[in-house]
Amino acid sequence: MFYSGRVGVTYEKTLRDVDTEKGVLRYHEVGDGAPLVLLHGSGIGVNGWRNYRGNLASFAEHFHCYALEFPGFGVSDPWEGIRSSQPPTPSSASWMRWESNPLP
């Protein structure tokens, strides 16, 4: 579906976005198989791609991977009322609702 060997797993080819009620939420998608949701940490300069780019191709050999880019970390839109130091629960829940019921 989204994986064609280790060559080709790039930022540009895997980046996706979804509009939510609070702004655009971005994520990376690659691979086939059971879903694997990858959540990044909250350190300075961290994001999903930086945390998982070295392993994403390997994971994609076995899983349909989703590496979320949380609001306020420079890739997804910041969400009012949510600081980047807060747990990502609201953004993860919005993404999972969308992924379960994608737009027509």
Side-chain angles (χ1 to χ4, degrees):
M1 179 176 193
F2 295 102
Y3 179 70
S4 59
R6 288 181 186 266
V7 176
V9 177
T10 66
Y11 182 90
E12 293 78 16
K13 289 183 180 180
T14 61
L15 186 64
R16 311 281 185 270
D17 58 55
V18 60
D19 290 321
T20 72
E21 65 278 359
K22 294 189 176 212
V24 176
L25 185 62
R26 292 181 176 84
Y27 63 99
H28 295 273
E29 181 179 20
V30 64
D32 286 313
L36 177 63
V37 178
L38 304 165
L39 308 175
H40 67 74
S42 61
I44 295 172
V46 71
N47 65 40
W49 181 255
R50 285 185 185 138
N51 278 187
Y52 297 108
R53 66 184 173 208
N55 296 312
L56 200 53
S58 295
F59 290 153
E61 292 178 9
H62 307 283
F63 300 99
H64 190 144
C65 303
Y66 302 93
L68 274 60
E69 300 288 6
F70 295 132
F73 286 86
V75 180
S76 290
D77 292 346
W79 288 10
E80 187 175 330
I82 296 179
R83 297 181 313 277
S84 60
S85 61
Q86 289 181 298
T89 306
S91 59
S92 300
S94 290
W95 176 81
M96 287 194 273
R97 276 193 303 276
W98 178 84
E99 187 60 34
S100 297
N101 299 298
L103 302 172

